[in-house]
Structures are given as structure tokens and as C-alpha cells.
Amino acid sequence: MLLFFILGLLVHFVFFGSIFDIYFTSPLVHGMTPQFTPLPPPAKRLVLFVADGLRADTLYELDENGNSRAPFIRNIIMHEGSWGISHTRVPTESRPGHVALIAGFYEDVSAVAKGWKENPVGFDSLINESKYTWSWGSPDILTMFAKDLNAEFFHAAGNNQSLFSKVNEEKIVFFLHLLGIDTNGHAHRPTSREYKDNVKVVDDGIKEIVSMLEHFYGNDGKTAFIFTSDHGMTDWGFHGAGHPSETLTPFVTWGAGIKYPQKVSAQKFDDAFLKEWKLENWKRQDIHQVSLCKELIHLALKGLSYYHTYDRFFLGINVVLGFVGWTSYAALLIIKSHSNLARGVSKEVKKPSHLLPCSFIAIGVLVAFFLLIQDCPWTYYVYCLLPMPIWYAVLREFQVIQNFVISLLTFPPSQLVGYLFVFTLGIEVLVLSFFYRYMLTAGLIAFACWPFITQLWTRAKSISLSWIFFSLLLAVFPLMPVVGRKPDIFLVMGAGLLVLLLSLSVVTSLIKRKDHFINEELLLHLFQMLSIVLSMCVAYTTHDSLRKKQGLPLFNQIISWITLASSFVLPLLSPTSLFERLFSILLSSMSAYLLLSTGYEALFPLVLSCLMFVWIQVEQETLQQHSVSYKQKVTSLQFTCHPDITQFRQLYLDDVRRAFFLVSFGLLSKVKVFY
């Protein structure tokens, strides 16, 4: 059995690593001949302003008094340059946004291996193709494009002959990364006065820098200016997804080589932004990544996509074969050892031929030769050859497979089809729930109806009613708003009070049940109740402090970290009986969960835990209904290391339903229902 678990871990580790070879491959192509245009450029220098986290609407819209928050940029739009909206793409983060802006390609997903701090492979960008680049701003962004950029002050060029000659060269870039707007958006949200006032500060700063540059170069008309943003931000102060508030960013450009504003009477945009921003008479020119209309670019991108995904289908098929084979082998071992489904059938079946291993060896040699002539990396050999021994092990259990199939055929066809239909439908609901949260609600409503189609409703009405109530109550949560809602600290406090009342009833029962008043179990529960109270106090004072814009108090930080650390340890100190251990886990998890909650989600783990407690009672009833010899009561179950093998039972088809319930509850506890 130990060998089986080790092999299982190895198989999962290998195929987990295959994800990086199949999907996390670099989109870059090396070894190509650089191409240059013979036409002289209209500008000698480029000044690039990137306002990190600036939303398009915040820049372009007028304030409550009808005035622009960025009067200098507004004047550029109306009198000097071109403007529009830049449509960024997911992930709307600073690094991929700047890669797209400065290097002209989507984020290199292989950079995940470097923690998104740098690229595993080099790439061309505006920075390294320029003759000189001077950059100011966040080091997180600047060091991404070059390791040796020197942030020098521009006014020093007048007193430094070497620097003066460099800044007067052609093909030079001045890059200013402005981080303040993003910082204020995270801290105070984009609808706050701080965020909007920061736009005015940025506008004043750009006006000053442009004036200084024009004066230094004597208004020679050879400077091009671009003002844009890497991503936007949601109303609740986050970015990274594909909401329009995150993907729509401003793009304003003026100077050498840029068209002057064009007045128009009508524009081809189906949104209401132009009228809302009072810019309907100035031609808007948006920038879309990849939706460029030129056929050559479209075909080139299509060709690159084909090149980079050439092996994806082939590798995916092999990984699927390996996972299906391993799942089949594990299922066969369970059926063989713990089920009577494959027993009681005639064993006069011819064993697999000795040619079976030879066949697999021959197939393996052919696959290896195929990979060799294609000069594939060594990891491809692992992904393609690993399914061979797995499926050989599956086919060695040919007797079990045949007996199992014959056993299934003894079931009434309607019952068998019904099982397959329900199981397939349940799997589809689980998959769809990753894309449509309301599918979780549909699944939980189906769970609530389950007692009506079994004998549970007639034999245990109180347990059935509890199951129905908590299933329907839990089904409400996926329908609630995910993000963007205002925090409701009173719901958090209410969840904490409910847990305290539940804890108080348990402690009271312990006092009545024990011979002596004080014991370790009681002290542990009292300590966990104190932890709940502290979490409630920290959550309330943190909410109040952030509302007053006073930051997070140090005391609250200390208590929060202590609570988080203790939540992993305290359940291990509780008694080993099933109910008391699970209740201790609930109290510890709620202490940490209250600290992370801002509203109704604080009630979620409490309702989920109640439903799972009821589920244990429900399964105990179903075992007794089926006359299973396993008669141990739930209250006597222990978390011990010495299971009684005489209490083990054979597996039945109903255990498939139990496994499905377990996976569903696990999904509910893991999926990002709220964020």
C-alpha cells in the first residue's frame, strides 16, 4: 500500500508539471533577423508617462463642478494631440501591462517560474532598442526591462557635457512610471477624494515636465509624448480581472509625428463615454491589442499561435491518457479489495496473453523513436511513456474488469442508466460552477431534495428537515454579490455572536456531562471562545480605523497573526472524539475567518459546518437503513491511529454518491465564492 501511494504521488507530480510544458510556454521566438524601416522618424525622442492604475473614466470625466481633473491633458486632447481608450487584457496587473506597452507582446507566462519578477528568456523592447533610456519610478517595473538603468535628474544635463551629448542624441526615451494613483486606489478606492486628487497632482507634474523638456530642447518639435496607464481598477480597489473598469485605460499622445485634434460630428462607438465625458466632437481613436485590422498582422499572430501550441494537443492527449489510466487502476484496486461487485462471477476467463507486455514495450519504443526524430525535450518522453506502464497495470486486472462489467449488467437497465445520468449531471454541475457560480445553488437545491427520493424522509424526519434547511440556506451564498459591495461589519459581528452562542451551549453541556467542573477540554473551548471575541474586536476596530483612514493598528496586526497561527494548533489539542474534534476545528477556523470577512461571508463557514455535521448523521442513518453490519454510533467515533479492521465493510454503489457529496463540499469550501 505504501508503494501504491508513492507511485500515486509520483504520477500526480509528473502530470502536474506537464501543465508548465503545455500551457506555460514562452510566446517569444528567437533567431529572427531584425527589420528596420529606411524612413526617417518624425521624432528624435519619446517621453512615456505611465500612470499606474489610472482608469479612463477618472481621467476623462468632468468633476461635479463641470471642470476637468486633468486640465493640462484635457487641453492636449482639444488642441494638440490625439486621444482614445487603450483596451488592456487579463491579467490586468502592472507587469503584464508594462510588457504589452513597452515590449509589444502579451505577458510571457513562463515568467511564473520566476515569481513574475523577471523573464526566464530575454526579449526586445522599446528600452533596449533605444540608444539611451532614462527612467524614473517604481523599481519593480524599471528593473524588468534592464538591470543597469540609471535614474538621472534631467536638469543635471546642463552642467554635464557627457550627459548633455547623450540627451541630444536620436532614439532616446524618457520613461516615467507614476505609482501614486495605484497606491491611493488600493488604499482609498478609486471613488475616493484621494484618488481623484492624485490625478490632478499627476496632471500638474506632467505639465511641469513637458514645459521643462520643451525649454531644454528649444521647442525643436522633435519630441513625442505619450500618456497612458497599464491597467485600471475596480470600484473596490482591486485589479487583475477583466472588468471594464480594469481594462479601459486612457491613451493621450501629442508632439512630433502625432496628428492634431480632429473635430467630427459623429463617431462609431456604441458606448456612452463620449457624451458622458463631453468629448463627442473630438475624434476618439482607441487601441485594441490583437484586434488590429490588418490581415498581415492577423496572419502573423495566427502563425505564432500555431507554432507555440503545436505540441499542445499531442501532450494533452498523453496527459489525459495517463490520468485516466491511473484513475482506472486505483478504482480497480478498490473494487478488487473492498467491493463485492466483482465477486461471485465465474472465473473461467482466459488470462491476458503473455504478448501483452511485449505489445506495450513495442508501442513504447515507437513513441520514443517518434520523439527522438522530432528532437523533443526529455520531459516529453516522461509524459508520453508514463501512460504505458500505467495502462499495462490496468489491463493486468482484466479478470476484475470483466467481473465488474458482468456485475453491472445484473442491475436493472433503468437503475443503471439512472445512476450514470445522475453521476454525469453532477459532474457537469461541478465543472460549470467554476464558470457560473449560480450552478452551486442549483446543486445545493438538488441536495436538499435528496431525502425525498430515499427512505430517509420517512425514517428520520428531524435529520431530513435539518439537511433540507441548511442545504437551502447554503444555496443562498453563491447568489450573493461577489465584490463591489460595501462592508457590513454588523454581519461579521452577528456571525461571531452566533458562534459564541453555539460554543456556550456546548460548554454548558460539557459542564453537565463531566464529573468535575474544570478540565483540559473545557479550558480549550473557553480559550477558543476568547479567540472568537478577540477576532470580533479586531475586525470591528480595524474597520473603524480604516474608515477613519488611520491605517491598521499594530496591536491588531499582532493579534491577527497570533490567531492565524493558533488556528492550526489548537484543534490538535482537542479530544479525539469526532464531535468535539470537529467542533474545535470550527471554532479555530471561525477565529481566522472573521478577521478576513467584511460582510455576509462570515456566516458561510458556520452554515457549511452545520450542514456537514448533519451530513454525518444522515450517512449514519443510511447505513442502518441498508442493514449494514457497521453499527458504531457517531458519538463513539475517534480520531485515532488504530482503526478496528473488524468494523470495515464492503463498498457499495451508494459510496459513489458519498464521494460526490464530499467533493462537492470540498469545492464549496475551496472555491472563491466571495472574492
Side-chain angles (χ1 to χ4, degrees):
M1 185 58 69
L2 179 61
L3 179 61
F4 174 75
F5 281 113
I6 293 175
L7 290 176
L9 287 174
L10 177 62
V11 169
H12 282 78
F13 178 78
V14 169
F15 288 134
F16 177 78
S18 70
I19 297 173
F20 296 92
D21 271 334
I22 298 175
Y23 296 102
F24 290 84
T25 56
S26 175
L28 304 176
V29 179
H30 295 272
M32 300 176 68
T33 303
Q35 301 295 317
F36 302 95
T37 175
L39 300 176
K44 293 177 61 176
R45 65 198 71 93
L46 170 68
V47 181
L48 174 61
F49 301 98
V50 179
D52 202 308
L54 176 60
R55 291 167 42 153
D57 57 350
T58 307
L59 178 72
Y60 292 139
E61 68 185 4
L62 304 178
D63 62 17
E64 56 275 7
N65 299 320
N67 300 320
S68 174
R69 297 189 183 92
F72 177 76
I73 296 296
R74 186 87 174 189
N75 181 71
I76 293 292
I77 293 172
M78 295 181 173
H79 301 99
E80 296 186 37
S82 298
W83 76 284
I85 295 177
S86 175
H87 297 256
T88 63
R89 60 169 284 173
V90 177
T92 48
E93 298 288 351
S94 292
R95 176 193 165 88
H98 281 85
V99 169
L101 281 170
I102 299 177
F105 68 93
Y106 297 148
E107 172 64 286
D108 184 354
V109 291
S110 65
V112 69
K114 297 287 186 178
W116 302 110
K117 296 299 182 184
E118 59 179 306
N119 274 72
V121 292
F123 60 89
D124 274 339
S125 71
L126 171 69
I127 304 299
N128 72 285
E129 289 295 334
S130 65
K131 190 163 187 179
Y132 298 108
T133 294
W134 288 267
S135 304
W136 294 265
S138 170
D140 297 10
I141 300 302
L142 304 187
T143 55
M144 183 169 59
F145 298 99
K147 302 290 186 180
D148 56 354
L149 293 177
N150 297 315
E152 301 176 74
F153 293 100
F154 190 79
H155 66 269
N159 303 319
N160 186 317
Q161 185 59 40
S162 174
L163 180 58
F164 182 82
S165 62
K166 290 180 180 179
V167 297
N168 280 282
E169 294 275 2
E170 295 186 354
K171 293 178 62 176
I172 64 172
V173 176
F174 299 104
F175 172 35
L176 291 91
H177 176 242
L178 313 174
L179 189 60
I181 293 177
D182 185 74
T183 303
N184 273 294
H186 288 306
H188 307 292
R189 301 189 178 186
T191 55
S192 66
R193 176 56 53 190
E194 290 81 358
Y195 183 88
K196 295 176 180 178
D197 287 346
N198 207 151
V199 176
K200 178 66 169 64
V201 172
V202 167
D203 184 72
D204 291 339
I206 291 175
K207 178 181 179 181
E208 181 181 350
I209 292 172
V210 170
S211 175
M212 178 181 63
L213 283 165
E214 296 287 20
H215 175 73
F216 181 85
Y217 287 109
N219 296 307
D220 62 354
K222 292 295 184 180
T223 306
F225 298 91
I226 294 177
F227 175 74
T228 186
S229 175
D230 54 348
H231 57 76
M233 189 173 292
T234 60
D235 289 341
W236 46 96
F238 294 99
H239 56 81
H243 191 272
S245 61
E246 301 170 89
T247 60
L248 302 183
T249 57
F251 192 89
V252 182
T253 181
W254 68 99
I258 307 299
K259 284 185 178 181
Y260 279 88
Q262 303 176 54
K263 282 203 170 186
V264 293
S265 58
Q267 303 199 49
K268 298 180 180 179
F269 293 99
D270 56 2
D271 54 53
F273 293 143
L274 289 168
K275 188 174 182 180
E276 180 184 339
W277 299 337
K278 309 296 183 186
L279 291 171
E280 57 266 41
N281 295 327
W282 280 267
K283 186 175 182 180
R284 167 180 155 189
Q285 303 181 77
D286 285 9
I287 296 177
H288 295 266
Q289 299 179 11
V290 178
S291 60
L292 300 172
C293 59
K294 294 185 178 179
E295 186 65 18
L296 178 61
I297 295 178
H298 174 74
L299 291 175
L301 291 173
K302 192 174 180 180
L304 283 173
S305 176
Y306 176 80
Y307 173 78
H308 287 295
T309 60
Y310 182 78
D311 293 327
R312 180 172 294 180
F313 180 76
F314 171 68
L315 292 178
I317 288 294
N318 282 277
V319 170
V320 169
L321 284 174
F323 262 126
V324 171
W326 176 257
T327 304
S328 303
Y329 180 64
L332 287 173
L333 288 185
I334 294 173
I335 292 171
K336 181 179 179 180
S337 305
H338 302 288
S339 173
N340 58 6
L341 293 176
R343 297 178 183 178
V345 184
S346 175
K347 297 185 179 180
E348 296 179 2
V349 181
K350 187 178 179 180
K351 293 185 177 180
S353 170
H354 66 279
L355 294 176
L356 182 65
C358 298
S359 302
F360 274 93
I361 291 174
I363 295 173
V365 171
L366 289 175
V367 171
F369 180 72
F370 172 75
L371 297 174
L372 181 64
I373 61 176
Q374 292 204 84
D375 196 24
C376 294
W378 66 270
T379 52
Y380 284 32
Y381 290 84
V382 178
Y383 307 144
C384 297
L385 295 178
L386 188 56
M388 302 298 173
I390 293 176
W391 278 104
Y392 173 68
V394 170
L395 294 181
R396 283 189 61 188
E397 303 295 338
F398 181 77
Q399 177 76 60
V400 179
I401 296 173
Q402 182 161 352
N403 289 350
F404 178 65
V405 171
I406 294 174
S407 297
L408 288 180
L409 294 177
T410 62
F411 283 85
S414 59
Q415 184 179 359
L416 188 59
V417 171
Y419 268 116
L420 290 175
F421 174 76
V422 172
F423 180 73
T424 304
L425 182 63
I427 294 297
E428 288 297 323
V429 169
L430 289 180
V431 173
L432 289 173
S433 65
F434 283 98
F435 305 96
Y436 309 100
R437 292 172 57 248
Y438 59 81
M439 294 304 298
L440 292 172
T441 298
L444 287 166
I445 293 175
F447 280 9
C449 299
W450 172 59
F452 295 110
I453 60 176
T454 65
Q455 298 180 4
L456 187 65
W457 174 251
T458 57
R459 296 191 55 176
K461 275 191 169 56
S462 60
I463 295 178
S464 299
L465 287 173
S466 299
W467 170 266
I468 294 169
F469 173 75
F470 285 115
S471 295
L472 294 177
L473 186 59
L474 195 64
V476 176
F477 286 93
L479 299 178
M480 301 294 282
V482 186
V483 288
R485 66 190 190 279
K486 292 183 178 180
D488 191 340
I489 193 63
F490 296 105
L491 280 178
V492 180
M493 297 297 102
L497 287 175
L498 286 175
V499 176
L500 285 176
L501 290 175
L502 184 62
S503 304
L504 189 61
S505 65
V506 173
V507 169
T508 303
S509 66
L510 285 176
I511 294 174
K512 292 179 180 179
R513 181 157 51 90
K514 299 295 181 180
D515 295 333
H516 49 282
F517 183 75
I518 300 296
N519 56 58
E520 296 82 359
E521 180 184 352
L522 183 59
L523 288 175
L524 177 63
H525 284 315
L526 290 175
F527 184 80
Q528 289 180 310
M529 290 174 65
L530 176 62
S531 180
I532 294 285
V533 173
L534 283 175
S535 295
M536 293 171 62
C537 294
V538 168
Y540 184 83
T541 55
T542 298
H543 172 79
D544 186 62
S545 179
L546 294 178
R547 183 176 57 84
K548 296 177 180 178
K549 305 187 187 309
Q550 296 176 351
L552 184 61
L554 178 61
F555 177 77
N556 289 19
Q557 297 182 46
I558 296 173
I559 294 297
S560 299
W561 283 110
I562 292 176
T563 301
L564 179 63
S566 63
S567 65
F568 294 99
V569 179
L570 290 179
L572 301 177
L573 304 178
S574 62
T576 58
S577 62
L578 178 68
F579 176 79
E580 293 174 354
R581 175 59 63 88
L582 293 179
F583 187 72
S584 179
I585 293 174
L586 169 62
L587 293 182
S588 293
S589 61
M590 278 299 298
S591 299
Y593 208 86
L594 288 173
L595 297 173
L596 302 173
S597 302
T598 60
Y600 69 87
E601 68 271 16
L603 296 166
F604 175 76
L606 179 60
V607 177
L608 178 63
S609 299
C610 290
L611 179 60
M612 295 189 73
F613 276 121
V614 174
W615 182 42
I616 295 174
Q617 300 289 341
V618 166
E619 295 299 350
Q620 182 75 4
E621 285 293 330
T622 56
L623 285 174
Q624 294 178 3
Q625 289 176 21
H626 292 299
S627 302
V628 179
S629 60
Y630 181 76
K631 296 294 184 181
Q632 188 175 3
K633 292 184 177 181
V634 173
T635 54
S636 63
L637 293 176
Q638 299 283 328
F639 281 91
T640 58
C641 301
H642 307 289
D644 185 2
I645 197 169
T646 61
Q647 295 285 351
F648 286 0
R649 62 173 178 81
Q650 296 296 318
L651 296 177
Y652 298 91
L653 280 179
D654 209 32
D655 290 308
V656 177
R657 190 260 312 155
R658 294 187 178 96
F660 178 76
F661 277 15
L662 180 63
V663 172
S664 301
F665 290 138
L667 177 64
L668 278 168
S669 62
K670 296 289 191 298
V671 76
K672 293 185 176 179
V673 176
F674 308 107
Y675 298 104

